[in-house]
Short mmCIF file of all heavy atoms in Angstrom, two decimals:
data_model
loop_
_atom_site.label_atom_id
_atom_site.label_comp_id
_atom_site.label_asym_id
_atom_site.label_seq_id
_atom_site.Cartn_x
_atom_site.Cartn_y
_atom_site.Cartn_z
N GLY A 73 -4.84 10.31 5.67
CA GLY A 73 -5.14 11.33 6.68
C GLY A 73 -6.35 12.23 6.45
O GLY A 73 -6.58 13.11 7.23
N GLY A 74 -7.03 12.05 5.41
CA GLY A 74 -8.22 12.80 5.12
C GLY A 74 -8.06 14.17 4.53
O GLY A 74 -6.90 14.58 4.21
N PHE A 75 -9.14 14.93 4.51
CA PHE A 75 -9.17 16.30 3.90
C PHE A 75 -8.14 17.15 4.36
O PHE A 75 -7.42 17.82 3.61
CB PHE A 75 -10.60 16.82 4.05
CG PHE A 75 -10.74 18.22 3.53
CD1 PHE A 75 -10.87 18.41 2.18
CD2 PHE A 75 -10.79 19.24 4.43
CE1 PHE A 75 -11.02 19.74 1.69
CE2 PHE A 75 -10.95 20.56 3.97
CZ PHE A 75 -11.06 20.78 2.57
N ASN A 76 -8.01 17.35 5.68
CA ASN A 76 -7.05 18.29 6.24
C ASN A 76 -5.66 18.07 5.86
O ASN A 76 -4.91 18.92 5.61
CB ASN A 76 -7.23 18.38 7.78
CG ASN A 76 -8.57 19.07 8.17
OD1 ASN A 76 -9.11 19.88 7.52
ND2 ASN A 76 -9.01 18.56 9.33
N THR A 77 -5.26 16.80 5.82
CA THR A 77 -3.94 16.47 5.42
C THR A 77 -3.66 16.80 3.99
O THR A 77 -2.65 17.32 3.58
CB THR A 77 -3.69 14.87 5.60
OG1 THR A 77 -3.89 14.58 6.98
CG2 THR A 77 -2.27 14.52 5.20
N PHE A 78 -4.69 16.55 3.10
CA PHE A 78 -4.47 16.90 1.71
C PHE A 78 -4.62 18.36 1.44
O PHE A 78 -4.10 18.88 0.40
CB PHE A 78 -5.49 16.11 0.82
CG PHE A 78 -5.17 14.65 0.84
CD1 PHE A 78 -6.12 13.73 1.35
CD2 PHE A 78 -4.01 14.13 0.34
CE1 PHE A 78 -5.94 12.36 1.40
CE2 PHE A 78 -3.77 12.64 0.39
CZ PHE A 78 -4.66 11.85 0.94
N MET A 79 -5.19 19.09 2.34
CA MET A 79 -5.25 20.54 2.21
C MET A 79 -3.88 21.18 2.48
O MET A 79 -3.66 22.32 2.04
CB MET A 79 -6.23 21.20 3.21
CG MET A 79 -7.69 21.40 2.68
SD MET A 79 -7.80 22.32 1.13
CE MET A 79 -7.24 23.96 1.64
N ASP A 80 -3.02 20.58 3.24
CA ASP A 80 -1.69 21.13 3.49
C ASP A 80 -0.98 21.38 2.22
O ASP A 80 -0.92 20.56 1.30
CB ASP A 80 -0.82 20.12 4.29
CG ASP A 80 -1.27 20.06 5.78
OD1 ASP A 80 -2.10 20.86 6.22
OD2 ASP A 80 -0.83 19.07 6.42
N GLY A 81 -0.49 22.62 2.10
CA GLY A 81 0.23 23.03 0.91
C GLY A 81 -0.63 23.79 -0.12
O GLY A 81 -0.13 24.37 -1.09
N SER A 82 -1.94 23.78 0.13
CA SER A 82 -2.86 24.50 -0.79
C SER A 82 -2.94 25.93 -0.34
O SER A 82 -3.00 26.23 0.87
CB SER A 82 -4.25 23.84 -0.78
OG SER A 82 -5.11 24.60 -1.59
N SER A 83 -2.98 26.86 -1.25
CA SER A 83 -3.20 28.27 -0.92
C SER A 83 -4.61 28.63 -0.91
O SER A 83 -4.96 29.81 -0.66
CB SER A 83 -2.34 29.14 -1.96
OG SER A 83 -2.94 28.98 -3.23
N VAL A 84 -5.52 27.66 -1.19
CA VAL A 84 -6.91 27.96 -1.19
C VAL A 84 -7.54 27.97 0.18
O VAL A 84 -7.08 27.22 1.03
CB VAL A 84 -7.68 26.89 -2.11
CG1 VAL A 84 -9.12 27.09 -2.11
CG2 VAL A 84 -7.16 26.96 -3.52
N SER A 85 -8.52 28.74 0.45
CA SER A 85 -9.22 28.82 1.72
C SER A 85 -9.82 27.48 2.07
O SER A 85 -10.33 26.79 1.14
CB SER A 85 -10.33 29.86 1.70
OG SER A 85 -11.35 29.55 2.69
N GLY A 86 -9.56 26.95 3.20
CA GLY A 86 -10.07 25.69 3.68
C GLY A 86 -11.55 25.61 3.56
O GLY A 86 -12.08 24.56 3.23
N ASN A 87 -12.24 26.66 3.99
CA ASN A 87 -13.73 26.63 3.94
C ASN A 87 -14.19 26.52 2.55
O ASN A 87 -15.08 25.79 2.23
CB ASN A 87 -14.22 27.95 4.57
CG ASN A 87 -14.14 27.92 6.07
OD1 ASN A 87 -14.03 26.79 6.72
ND2 ASN A 87 -14.20 29.05 6.71
N TYR A 88 -13.58 27.30 1.59
CA TYR A 88 -13.99 27.21 0.23
C TYR A 88 -13.78 25.87 -0.34
O TYR A 88 -14.64 25.23 -1.01
CB TYR A 88 -13.16 28.25 -0.60
CG TYR A 88 -13.46 28.15 -2.06
CD1 TYR A 88 -14.64 28.53 -2.65
CD2 TYR A 88 -12.49 27.66 -2.96
CE1 TYR A 88 -14.94 28.47 -4.04
CE2 TYR A 88 -12.67 27.52 -4.38
CZ TYR A 88 -13.92 27.97 -4.83
OH TYR A 88 -14.17 27.93 -6.20
N ALA A 89 -12.62 25.22 -0.12
CA ALA A 89 -12.30 23.84 -0.61
C ALA A 89 -13.28 22.84 0.04
O ALA A 89 -13.81 21.91 -0.64
CB ALA A 89 -10.85 23.48 -0.27
N LEU A 90 -13.66 23.06 1.26
CA LEU A 90 -14.58 22.15 2.00
C LEU A 90 -16.00 22.29 1.28
O LEU A 90 -16.65 21.27 1.11
CB LEU A 90 -14.72 22.46 3.45
CG LEU A 90 -15.55 21.51 4.26
CD1 LEU A 90 -15.13 20.06 4.19
CD2 LEU A 90 -15.61 22.03 5.70
N TYR A 91 -16.41 23.51 0.98
CA TYR A 91 -17.79 23.64 0.34
C TYR A 91 -17.73 23.01 -1.05
O TYR A 91 -18.71 22.34 -1.39
CB TYR A 91 -18.06 25.16 0.23
CG TYR A 91 -18.35 25.88 1.45
CD1 TYR A 91 -17.93 27.17 1.75
CD2 TYR A 91 -19.06 25.23 2.52
CE1 TYR A 91 -18.12 27.78 2.88
CE2 TYR A 91 -19.30 25.88 3.65
CZ TYR A 91 -18.82 27.13 3.92
OH TYR A 91 -19.07 27.77 5.11
N VAL A 92 -16.62 23.15 -1.75
CA VAL A 92 -16.57 22.46 -3.11
C VAL A 92 -16.59 20.99 -2.90
O VAL A 92 -17.31 20.23 -3.61
CB VAL A 92 -15.30 22.97 -3.86
CG1 VAL A 92 -15.15 22.19 -5.10
CG2 VAL A 92 -15.48 24.49 -4.13
N LEU A 93 -15.87 20.43 -1.90
CA LEU A 93 -15.83 19.05 -1.64
C LEU A 93 -17.21 18.50 -1.22
O LEU A 93 -17.65 17.43 -1.76
CB LEU A 93 -14.87 18.75 -0.52
CG LEU A 93 -14.73 17.26 -0.07
CD1 LEU A 93 -14.27 16.39 -1.22
CD2 LEU A 93 -13.88 17.16 1.15
N ILE A 94 -17.97 19.23 -0.46
CA ILE A 94 -19.28 18.85 -0.04
C ILE A 94 -20.23 18.75 -1.28
O ILE A 94 -20.92 17.81 -1.44
CB ILE A 94 -19.85 19.72 1.08
CG1 ILE A 94 -19.08 19.47 2.39
CG2 ILE A 94 -21.39 19.56 1.24
CD1 ILE A 94 -19.35 20.54 3.49
N LEU A 95 -20.10 19.82 -2.19
CA LEU A 95 -20.90 19.84 -3.37
C LEU A 95 -20.61 18.58 -4.21
O LEU A 95 -21.47 17.96 -4.69
CB LEU A 95 -20.65 21.15 -4.11
CG LEU A 95 -21.32 21.25 -5.48
CD1 LEU A 95 -22.88 21.25 -5.33
CD2 LEU A 95 -20.88 22.46 -6.24
N HIS A 96 -19.25 18.34 -4.38
CA HIS A 96 -18.79 17.17 -5.14
C HIS A 96 -19.40 15.91 -4.57
O HIS A 96 -19.92 14.99 -5.31
CB HIS A 96 -17.36 17.14 -5.14
CG HIS A 96 -16.77 15.85 -5.70
ND1 HIS A 96 -16.90 15.48 -6.98
CD2 HIS A 96 -16.09 14.81 -5.07
CE1 HIS A 96 -16.33 14.32 -7.18
NE2 HIS A 96 -15.83 13.92 -6.04
N ILE A 97 -19.36 15.71 -3.24
CA ILE A 97 -19.84 14.51 -2.55
C ILE A 97 -21.39 14.38 -2.86
O ILE A 97 -21.81 13.26 -3.07
CB ILE A 97 -19.52 14.51 -1.11
CG1 ILE A 97 -18.02 14.30 -0.93
CG2 ILE A 97 -20.30 13.46 -0.40
CD1 ILE A 97 -17.47 14.54 0.49
N ILE A 98 -22.10 15.47 -2.76
CA ILE A 98 -23.52 15.34 -2.92
C ILE A 98 -23.83 14.96 -4.36
O ILE A 98 -24.72 14.04 -4.60
CB ILE A 98 -24.21 16.75 -2.64
CG1 ILE A 98 -24.14 17.02 -1.14
CG2 ILE A 98 -25.66 16.83 -3.17
CD1 ILE A 98 -24.53 18.44 -0.71
N ILE A 99 -23.22 15.54 -5.34
CA ILE A 99 -23.38 15.20 -6.71
C ILE A 99 -23.05 13.76 -6.99
O ILE A 99 -23.77 13.04 -7.59
CB ILE A 99 -22.52 16.13 -7.66
CG1 ILE A 99 -23.06 17.56 -7.60
CG2 ILE A 99 -22.50 15.59 -9.10
CD1 ILE A 99 -22.09 18.56 -8.26
N ALA A 100 -21.93 13.30 -6.41
CA ALA A 100 -21.44 11.95 -6.61
C ALA A 100 -22.40 10.96 -5.93
O ALA A 100 -22.67 9.89 -6.66
CB ALA A 100 -20.03 11.79 -6.02
N VAL A 101 -22.89 11.20 -4.80
CA VAL A 101 -23.77 10.30 -4.17
C VAL A 101 -25.14 10.17 -4.85
O VAL A 101 -25.65 9.12 -5.12
CB VAL A 101 -24.03 10.58 -2.64
CG1 VAL A 101 -25.13 9.79 -2.08
CG2 VAL A 101 -22.71 10.39 -1.95
N VAL A 102 -25.66 11.33 -5.23
CA VAL A 102 -26.95 11.29 -5.98
C VAL A 102 -26.76 10.57 -7.33
O VAL A 102 -27.63 9.77 -7.73
CB VAL A 102 -27.44 12.78 -6.22
CG1 VAL A 102 -28.61 12.80 -7.18
CG2 VAL A 102 -27.91 13.36 -4.84
N THR A 103 -25.70 10.84 -7.98
CA THR A 103 -25.38 10.14 -9.25
C THR A 103 -25.22 8.62 -9.04
O THR A 103 -25.79 7.89 -9.90
CB THR A 103 -24.12 10.74 -9.89
OG1 THR A 103 -24.35 12.11 -10.15
CG2 THR A 103 -23.73 10.01 -11.24
N LEU A 104 -24.54 8.23 -8.07
CA LEU A 104 -24.40 6.83 -7.75
C LEU A 104 -25.76 6.14 -7.53
O LEU A 104 -26.00 5.02 -8.10
CB LEU A 104 -23.49 6.55 -6.58
CG LEU A 104 -23.27 5.08 -6.20
CD1 LEU A 104 -22.54 4.40 -7.38
CD2 LEU A 104 -22.33 5.03 -4.97
N VAL A 105 -26.64 6.80 -6.76
CA VAL A 105 -27.91 6.17 -6.56
C VAL A 105 -28.73 6.13 -7.86
O VAL A 105 -29.31 5.08 -8.19
CB VAL A 105 -28.66 7.05 -5.53
CG1 VAL A 105 -30.16 6.60 -5.46
CG2 VAL A 105 -28.08 6.94 -4.06
N LEU A 106 -28.68 7.12 -8.61
CA LEU A 106 -29.36 7.24 -9.93
C LEU A 106 -28.79 6.17 -10.87
O LEU A 106 -29.61 5.48 -11.54
CB LEU A 106 -29.26 8.62 -10.53
CG LEU A 106 -30.14 8.96 -11.77
CD1 LEU A 106 -31.54 8.66 -11.38
CD2 LEU A 106 -29.90 10.38 -12.14
N TRP A 107 -27.48 6.04 -10.92
CA TRP A 107 -26.85 5.09 -11.81
C TRP A 107 -27.23 3.68 -11.37
O TRP A 107 -27.49 2.81 -12.24
CB TRP A 107 -25.31 5.21 -11.73
CG TRP A 107 -24.58 4.63 -12.81
CD1 TRP A 107 -25.01 3.92 -13.93
CD2 TRP A 107 -23.12 4.60 -12.98
NE1 TRP A 107 -24.04 3.52 -14.66
CE2 TRP A 107 -22.78 3.91 -14.12
CE3 TRP A 107 -22.08 5.18 -12.19
CZ2 TRP A 107 -21.46 3.76 -14.57
CZ3 TRP A 107 -20.79 4.97 -12.62
CH2 TRP A 107 -20.52 4.28 -13.80
N THR A 108 -27.32 3.42 -10.08
CA THR A 108 -27.69 2.07 -9.61
C THR A 108 -29.19 1.80 -10.01
O THR A 108 -29.54 0.66 -10.55
CB THR A 108 -27.60 2.01 -8.02
OG1 THR A 108 -26.31 2.29 -7.62
CG2 THR A 108 -28.02 0.68 -7.46
N ILE A 109 -30.05 2.76 -9.87
CA ILE A 109 -31.44 2.63 -10.28
C ILE A 109 -31.43 2.35 -11.79
O ILE A 109 -32.21 1.42 -12.30
CB ILE A 109 -32.31 3.82 -9.94
CG1 ILE A 109 -32.45 3.92 -8.46
CG2 ILE A 109 -33.61 3.80 -10.65
CD1 ILE A 109 -33.06 5.26 -8.01
N THR A 110 -30.73 3.11 -12.59
CA THR A 110 -30.76 2.87 -14.03
C THR A 110 -30.31 1.49 -14.43
O THR A 110 -30.96 0.92 -15.30
CB THR A 110 -29.79 3.98 -14.71
OG1 THR A 110 -30.22 5.28 -14.25
CG2 THR A 110 -29.91 3.88 -16.16
N ILE A 111 -29.25 1.04 -13.85
CA ILE A 111 -28.77 -0.29 -14.11
C ILE A 111 -29.73 -1.40 -13.73
O ILE A 111 -29.94 -2.37 -14.40
CB ILE A 111 -27.33 -0.54 -13.57
CG1 ILE A 111 -26.35 0.27 -14.41
CG2 ILE A 111 -26.94 -1.98 -13.56
CD1 ILE A 111 -24.93 0.27 -13.93
N THR A 112 -30.32 -1.27 -12.49
CA THR A 112 -31.14 -2.32 -12.00
C THR A 112 -32.53 -2.39 -12.67
O THR A 112 -33.16 -3.46 -12.58
CB THR A 112 -31.29 -2.27 -10.46
OG1 THR A 112 -31.86 -0.91 -10.18
CG2 THR A 112 -29.99 -2.45 -9.78
N ARG A 113 -32.93 -1.35 -13.23
CA ARG A 113 -34.21 -1.25 -13.93
C ARG A 113 -33.92 -1.33 -15.40
O ARG A 113 -34.56 -0.55 -16.19
CB ARG A 113 -34.97 -0.04 -13.60
CG ARG A 113 -35.40 -0.01 -12.20
CD ARG A 113 -36.28 1.19 -11.94
NE ARG A 113 -36.66 1.22 -10.57
CZ ARG A 113 -37.41 2.25 -10.04
NH1 ARG A 113 -37.78 3.21 -10.72
NH2 ARG A 113 -37.76 2.13 -8.76
N ASN A 114 -33.09 -2.17 -15.85
CA ASN A 114 -32.66 -2.31 -17.24
C ASN A 114 -33.78 -2.60 -18.17
O ASN A 114 -34.03 -3.73 -18.62
CB ASN A 114 -31.62 -3.44 -17.29
CG ASN A 114 -30.91 -3.46 -18.61
OD1 ASN A 114 -30.98 -2.55 -19.44
ND2 ASN A 114 -30.21 -4.59 -18.89
#
Side-chain angles (χ1 to χ4, degrees):
F75 175 76
N76 290 330
T77 300
F78 293 117
M79 265 308 292
D80 287 346
S82 176
S83 63
V84 176
S85 158
N87 285 339
Y88 174 69
L90 183 60
Y91 292 139
V92 173
L93 177 63
I94 291 169
L95 176 65
H96 169 68
I97 291 169
I98 290 168
I99 293 168
V101 168
V102 169
T103 299
L104 180 61
V105 169
L106 190 56
W107 198 1
T108 303
I109 291 168
T110 304
I111 285 176
T112 57
R113 294 185 180 176
N114 188 14

